[in-house]
Amino acid sequence: MRLSVPVHVDVLDMDEHELSWQDVLFGEVALRGDSATCSTAATIVRARGLGREGCCPSCGTLSVRVHDRYRRRLQDVPLAARCVRIELEVRRFVCVNSECVQRTFAEQIPGFTSAYARCTDRLGALLNVIGLALAGRAGSRMATALGIVAGRVELLNRVRAMPDPSYATPRLLGVDDFAIKSFHTYATVLTCGDTHRVVDVLPTREAGPLTMWLLAHPGVEVICRDRAGAYAEGAAAGAPDAQQVADRYHLWANLGQAVEKSVAAHRTCLPARSSTPNVPQTPQPPLPATSHGNGRLAARLQAHHALVHGLLEQGMGLRAIARHLGWGRHTVQRYARAEHWHQVSPGRHLRGSSLDVHHAYLSRRIAEKRGRISLVALHRELAERGWHGSYSTLRDWAAKRLPQPRRTPQPPPAPPSIRQVTGWLTRRPSSLTEDEHQQLKAVLEHCPELTAAHQLVRDFGNMLTEQTGLLLPAWIDEAMAAELPGLSSFARGLTNDIDAVTAGLTLRWSSGITEGAVNRIKELLQRCNSSVRTALAIDVMRLGLQRDLRKIRQDFRRATPRSTGARAAARARLRVFSVGVSFFRGLRLMPVVSHGPAPW
């Protein structure tokens, strides 16, 4: 049911404290509400502008000549949990400037409407906040819960349309790479170490783009990077006066790889894991065979019988024992009436066997042989005593009434793996368990080379934690003199970047902020991976890259197996990558990361 409520804005006899539609919906906006239609789902308000003239968007000339009028439907912020739609009567003015290229133009309400928009400016600002915080699908679900109709593509388009935040040239610049497509396409992210914000994204991880960016943004004083040669070359060419700092995390990771190579070279001298010595055990004679057997059932009956009789000796009654143990009274009676545990009825009877008459003989023979007698010999002796049963009957009787020895031999303990030994050598000693300490001690006793490697790792770790980078040259000389596989080449590589490594082991700066930005970018890429192709096509069309898209298709058609299409395929891949970079820049991935705290 619809209820039509006329709205009178210019009410003279209204109380000064009473609110009207004008105050609630429009406030100080130059609009006049004519009527409103309310329903359970939405509120539709018809309104018109109060201005007498319009301003041409092309030349800025004011005009009062009205060409025509039309209805414009806009979505507004929800009111009382209802969706609000405004049917605005818009005038189209005629531009009176004869030299203007635009003959007519539509009326715009300042602060309320924008050209070609299907929602008001205040609702657009709200959608920008939702899209920036939750992106596509999650933002669309949140908008629906708030009473706003907005699709995921619309929210993504709003995020793309936002301008990039302007940052001053950072004094402390962090440089690291991340994979757009693993093992194929990589890009470089630049962060500010002071504000912890992402500054820019470079399309490759080569030296050229980093050099051009540094030349265009002078003033960088410290550059934190990993040990990649391209970044070192680009930083030296773009900012020769800046202090380069090698990241401590990457240094320790490279050291771990070198230690793993050294352990792999000496894996033949890794000892087996320590285990308890095999002490020969004297075989115990088997328990006498009874009607209950001599396995777990007999042990349980014996323990329960001793427990009940112990409580009886303490003066407890049968009911008290039953309440104390949580058993039934008749169960306690069975144990109490039996003088010996052999006389206790187990509650379930074994099926009788033809060997029951030979029970005493079998018990005596097993006791004489101390359990070292085969079933074949017993079967032969029973046949001589007049028993005509089969061997399977004797076997089944022995399986039920005799304990089965464990015949599976235990395999010898295997030596520790290369990764385990590498972890013992590179981890903090305080984080090792007592067993790992013993295993590491056994490894170092068997291999003197690994003892030297262990000492080198400890010395490097002390330099890293205590920031004593001045000791690095002496450590490099000692590592190269040890001639250990992996460690010697690692020390030799440090000499090629000695200044940055010394600064990394001395100064307080590191690339931890950049690594955090890389992790956030990876999570964003994983979230949008399923819709990348659709969004890429939308972004290509929006940015006017139809020409590049046609060129890509032509190059892929030329790249057939029978044609000389290698260069065409290479050009196609290059254009795909360039379009992909444009997509990521159009997606405004960095504003999503840097405008505010991450939504997760």
Side-chain angles (χ1 to χ4, degrees), residues 554-571:
Q554 294 175 3
D555 289 340
F556 272 122
R557 292 194 192 103
R558 295 173 184 172
T560 57
R562 295 185 179 181
S563 65
T564 58
R567 287 179 292 180
R571 290 196 302 271

Side-chain angles (χ1 to χ4, degrees), residues 166-176 189-200 213 219-220 222-224 509-515 517 520 590 594:
S166 58
Y167 294 111
T169 301
R171 182 183 64 88
L172 175 60
L173 181 68
V175 182
D176 202 356
V189 60
L190 305 179
T191 61
C192 177
D194 296 328
T195 61
H196 298 189
R197 300 280 187 173
V198 175
V199 177
D200 203 349
W213 192 93
V220 177
V222 180
I223 300 176
C224 293
W509 295 301
S510 66
S511 298
I513 300 167
T514 312
E515 292 294 337
R520 292 195 295 271
M590 291 306 103
S594 59

Side-chain angles (χ1 to χ4, degrees), residues 539-573:
D539 197 67
V540 167
M541 297 181 66
R542 187 182 68 83
L543 296 177
L545 299 178
Q546 295 90 340
R547 175 177 172 274
D548 288 341
L549 189 60
R550 289 194 299 268
K551 187 63 177 176
I552 290 172
R553 291 173 180 170
Q554 294 175 3
D555 289 340
F556 272 122
R557 292 194 192 103
R558 295 173 184 172
T560 57
R562 295 185 179 181
S563 65
T564 58
R567 287 179 292 180
R571 290 196 302 271
R573 285 192 296 269

